[in-house]
Amino acid sequence: MKNATIKIPKNPEKLSSFFCLRWAVLVLIAITGIRYNVGMLANPIFLGRLIDGIESKDSTRKSIGFLLISYVSAILLIQLARALKRYYVRRFAFETIASRRACIFNTLRHKTTKELEKEDIGILSSKRMGDVSKAVEGRRKVTTEIFDTVVLFFVYIVYLFLFDYKITLLSLISIVFAVLASFLFRKIIYKASDKSRKENAILNQLTYDYSDNALLYRIYGRDKKNEEDYDKQLCLYERASRKAQVLSDVALPISQRIGLLGLLPLRYRGTGYVRQSKTLPPYVIGTSENYWTIGVFTTYLETFVLLSKKACHTAKLFSSRESGLASYRRIIPLRKKITPYTEMDAQKGSVVLSFTDFTLKSEDKIRIKNLNLTLKDGEKLGITGPIASGKTLLRKAILKEIPYDGSLTINGKEVSRRTREELSSYLVYRGHQANLFTDTIQNNIAFGDDKDVMPYLKKVDFMEDRNMRNEKENTIVGNRGIKLSGGQQERLSLARAFYHQKKIRILDDPFNRVDLSTENTILQNLEKERSASLVLLISHRLDNFSQMDKILLLHGDGEYEIGKEEDRKNSSLYCSLKQKGDNK
């Protein structure tokens, strides 16, 4: 399905934008909703007329049969309108859920790595999936109840007043108290629903954490403690969820009992009107006689009972609103304006990466100061330095993850002014972690592209590992590549960097878990593609830095050194780093 089928509002920060986006469906909801709810008056009207018809001596079997057929036909048409209304309401809800999830995905897509690292996966998943559904479902129920309760509520009241305003006013007193009780329940329901959603989010986070780190916890003997903690959280969620559901459920019957107290004045006055055969006002519609009969009383009584039920459903209206509101407020921070994604082809031709008076700070300390360096196609730059010297910061700056001072340009344009799509057309990044996901070897490399992965598995010396598996390149590697060894994970992620041929390749500590022989093989294959891209190799292992055209040695205090390895022989820092790497 094409993305164009999911309608996205221009300004998702405004709730009204989701309604404006689907105004046509809302119009259909209004039309079918009004037809259904106003048409529901046919039930008490026909019921009363049937009773009067059966009691009347002038009625014939034919007239009763015709009345019965008309009654059934009217009910069928009303139910058809109801079915259409529910269809359009559900359609509106599901389309809105899709839109909101797309908006949240857009927000997450534009968050920086640092912002995403602050998010708990379980809680984020709960917000994106559960809370979106809950919030929209709350709106759907409110939309439904507006027609099924509010519209019908006022139509019934007006109809009852046509019969007799005194008895109607007396009976409506209990209805007012029923609505008031429903209103008072709403805050209690909101607090209970909010508590339930929070406990569910924590439970999701624990589920993700325990499954993702199962092996680590098992090794350290934490299984029993984790099971106890999980059961405890499960109980907390169950209690909170049960309380929220019980409060939502009891609000309705309590309101119903209060509303039905209006039958008391109706019982005494209504039966008196029938015995007296009191005259009806001339503008009462739907009655067969112009005075109070058993059929007229039945019509009035049935209408009031339905009114009482609808009045009590305001509890459901308030409950749905408050329950949805609890979830809606949790997803408010994830509502952002949609930034359209522009598909860009990989950049061709030459590339120049230039640093001019480039400065980076971290924790109020200058890590790199006034770096001046220009790199071109085919060059390989080795970047090294002690811990916290600025290697990771440099990589993040190139990837536009952190701000910088001075100038950093790709082909003359500042990185800070380039869009993420522009950068992705220039850069391929092999991170410090392998970043594999639960899919096949093929898909972990190709990311959905059609090009054959075999040549790239050869480049990273992975063919023997591939041939040992029955499914070959269709082997599922597991979450984060758990079914592979550390070295296999690294080589697979390197194959991905080879496969996606961009002009700038950033390799962050790619040989940490592979042997020196394999590292030499990979670097030789990289050398064969020298003209294809500019390579930035960040590493603590300096065994093959002699193959680098330039080495950037970061001191961590703002100072740096640039040159070939032979120029670093007198550098005590470089010699120290190389010795540490050799001893690993």
Side-chain angles (χ1 to χ4, degrees):
M1 183 174 64
K2 294 181 179 180
N3 190 46
T5 59
I6 300 178
K7 295 182 179 179
I8 306 295
K10 293 182 179 179
N11 188 4
E13 294 180 1
K14 292 184 178 180
L15 183 61
S16 59
S17 63
F18 289 93
F19 289 87
C20 294
L21 189 66
R22 295 175 177 83
W23 63 269
V25 177
L26 290 174
V27 169
L28 292 171
I29 291 173
I31 293 172
T32 54
I34 291 172
R35 289 189 65 179
Y36 161 63
N37 287 287
V38 174
M40 281 295 290
L41 279 174
N43 188 61
I45 288 173
F46 274 104
L47 189 61
R49 295 194 67 171
L50 278 171
I51 291 175
D52 282 342
I54 293 170
E55 286 198 337
S56 176
K57 295 179 180 180
D58 298 330
S59 298
T60 63
R61 183 178 297 179
K62 185 177 180 180
S63 63
I64 295 296
F66 178 76
L67 193 61
L68 188 60
I69 292 172
S70 300
Y71 179 30
V72 173
S73 300
I75 294 300
L76 288 175
L77 290 173
I78 292 167
Q79 292 304 316
L80 177 61
R82 182 187 188 189
L84 289 172
K85 176 193 68 88
R86 289 199 166 193
Y87 165 75
Y88 289 122
V89 168
R90 290 285 182 181
R91 176 179 167 181
F92 172 79
F94 291 136
E95 288 179 356
T96 303
I97 286 174
S99 295
R100 284 198 170 173
R101 286 180 176 171
C103 291
I104 289 177
F105 177 78
N106 176 77
T107 301
L108 296 177
R109 182 169 68 87
H110 287 87
K111 280 181 174 289
T112 64
T113 305
K114 189 174 183 179
E115 289 173 326
L116 287 173
E117 286 173 349
K118 294 179 180 179
E119 297 276 4
D120 289 327
I121 298 299
I123 294 175
L124 191 61
S125 176
S126 175
K127 287 182 178 180
R128 185 170 181 265
M129 303 301 291
D131 283 316
V132 168
S133 297
K134 284 274 187 180
V136 175
E137 183 67 8
R139 290 290 172 184
R140 182 195 68 77
K141 289 181 179 178
V142 168
T143 305
T144 302
E145 293 301 326
I146 283 175
F147 292 108
D148 287 358
T149 299
V150 179
V151 174
L152 191 147
F153 187 73
F154 286 105
V155 170
Y156 280 17
I157 288 177
V158 171
Y159 187 63
L160 290 176
F161 269 112
L162 296 179
F163 286 82
D164 186 271
Y165 74 91
K166 291 182 180 179
I167 191 173
T168 301
L169 282 175
L170 285 172
S171 300
L172 285 179
I173 293 175
S174 64
I175 301 296
V176 172
F177 280 103
V179 174
L180 181 61
S182 300
F183 181 78
L184 294 176
F185 261 107
R186 66 185 177 82
K187 283 296 181 185
I188 302 173
I189 293 172
Y190 168 75
K191 290 181 180 179
S193 297
D194 186 50
K195 176 68 173 175
S196 174
R197 296 302 301 154
K198 288 179 179 178
E199 297 296 348
N200 184 46
I202 296 172
L203 185 65
N204 285 343
Q205 177 60 25
L206 288 179
T207 303
Y208 180 85
D209 178 51
Y210 292 164
S211 60
D212 195 45
N213 299 300
L215 180 60
L216 179 65
Y217 288 133
R218 200 166 297 145
I219 290 172
Y220 283 89
R222 301 292 296 177
D223 279 356
K224 184 177 180 180
K225 180 65 168 59
N226 287 349
E227 185 178 350
E228 292 173 354
D229 292 344
Y230 191 84
D231 287 345
K232 181 180 179 181
Q233 183 58 40
L234 194 60
C235 289
L236 290 174
Y237 167 65
E238 189 271 334
R239 290 171 190 167
S241 180
R242 182 179 61 210
K243 180 180 178 181
Q245 190 62 51
V246 167
L247 287 172
S248 296
D249 290 343
V250 301
L252 182 60
I254 289 176
S255 299
Q256 284 179 337
R257 301 300 179 272
I258 296 173
L260 289 174
L261 291 175
L263 291 173
L264 295 176
L266 178 59
R267 157 72 176 79
Y268 292 104
R269 284 185 172 268
T271 54
Y273 288 171
V274 174
R275 286 195 295 268
Q276 299 168 16
S277 297
K278 184 178 179 180
T279 304
L280 285 171
Y283 40 74
V284 178
I285 58 174
T287 58
S288 57
E289 304 292 343
N290 60 357
Y291 58 90
W292 280 79
T293 63
I294 294 178
V296 171
F297 178 72
T298 301
T299 298
Y300 188 93
L301 180 65
E302 180 69 13
T303 304
F304 177 80
V305 170
L306 290 175
L307 171 66
S308 176
K309 287 183 178 179
K310 289 303 174 183
C312 299
H313 274 86
T314 54
K316 188 177 180 181
L317 177 65
F318 291 129
S319 172
S320 298
R321 179 184 178 276
E322 296 301 328
S323 179
L325 191 61
S327 292
Y328 175 72
R329 286 175 176 168
R330 284 165 50 81
I331 62 175
I332 286 178
L334 296 177
R335 294 182 308 152
K336 301 291 182 182
K337 283 189 176 182
I338 294 294
T339 302
Y341 183 83
T342 304
E343 187 71 32
M344 299 192 71
D345 294 329
Q347 293 292 330
K348 306 297 181 183
S350 61
V351 66
V352 177
L353 178 66
S354 181
F355 301 84
T356 306
D357 296 329
F358 176 82
T359 301
L360 279 177
K361 298 178 182 178
S362 173
E363 300 176 352
D364 295 328
K365 294 181 180 179
I366 296 178
R367 302 298 181 183
I368 303 174
K369 183 178 180 181
N370 297 332
L371 172 63
N372 290 282
L373 176 64
T374 299
L375 300 166
K376 299 180 181 179
D377 273 342
E379 289 192 277
K380 291 189 293 185
L381 175 70
I383 303 172
T384 190
I387 296 174
S389 60
K391 300 184 297 298
T392 300
L393 293 178
L394 180 61
R395 180 260 297 171
K396 287 184 175 181
I398 298 172
L399 295 175
K400 197 184 173 180
E401 292 184 4
I402 59 171
Y404 57 84
D405 295 323
S407 177
L408 167 58
T409 64
I410 298 178
N411 283 359
K413 184 175 180 179
E414 284 292 336
V415 166
S416 59
R417 295 176 187 171
R418 288 190 178 275
T419 65
R420 296 184 185 277
E421 292 83 1
E422 284 181 308
L423 285 178
S424 69
S425 70
Y426 279 103
L427 299 168
V428 64
Y429 169 58
R430 191 281 178 199
H432 187 69
Q433 301 295 330
N435 293 323
L436 301 178
F437 47 89
T438 308
D439 209 326
T440 63
I441 291 174
Q442 166 83 28
N443 290 337
N444 266 283
I445 295 173
F447 276 5
D449 288 353
D450 298 328
K451 194 167 54 174
D452 185 16
V453 300
M454 291 301 106
Y456 305 96
L457 291 175
K458 291 178 182 177
K459 288 179 184 293
V460 296
D461 199 21
F462 200 88
M463 287 303 295
E464 183 178 347
D465 303 272
R466 176 255 185 195
N467 294 333
M468 290 174 61
R469 290 167 166 77
N470 293 332
E471 300 297 325
K472 309 304 180 189
E473 65 272 14
N474 293 318
T475 300
I476 302 293
V477 303
N479 185 32
R480 298 187 182 182
I482 194 171
K483 294 183 179 181
L484 304 177
S485 68
Q488 289 171 336
Q489 292 174 18
E490 291 209 341
R491 282 181 285 141
L492 201 56
S493 65
L494 278 167
R496 179 193 298 161
F498 274 109
Y499 182 94
H500 298 275
Q501 297 174 347
K502 302 293 181 69
K503 297 305 296 182
I504 301 175
R505 289 174 177 166
I506 303 176
L507 309 178
D508 191 352
D509 210 9
F511 307 120
N512 188 41
R513 291 184 288 181
V514 300
D515 57 64
L516 189 58
S517 174
T518 303
E519 179 180 343
N520 285 326
T521 300
I522 295 173
L523 285 173
Q524 287 171 12
N525 289 325
L526 193 62
E527 179 66 25
K528 294 176 183 178
E529 296 185 356
R530 170 177 282 274
S531 61
S533 61
L534 164 64
V535 177
L536 305 182
L537 175 61
I538 304 171
S539 182
H540 290 100
R541 275 175 53 167
L542 309 181
D543 302 86
N544 284 296
F545 262 42
S546 59
Q547 298 182 33
M548 299 296 107
D549 298 303
K550 293 178 183 177
I551 295 173
L552 174 60
L553 175 62
L554 302 175
H555 290 225
D557 58 359
E559 298 296 320
Y560 61 88
E561 300 175 39
I562 299 176
K564 294 189 175 183
E565 185 177 56
E566 58 191 42
D567 301 324
R568 307 274 72 76
K569 291 180 179 178
N570 296 325
S571 171
S572 58
L573 176 58
Y574 186 82
C575 293
S576 173
L577 290 172
K578 188 164 186 178
Q579 184 178 10
K580 288 180 181 178
D582 291 340
N583 292 333
K584 285 186 178 180

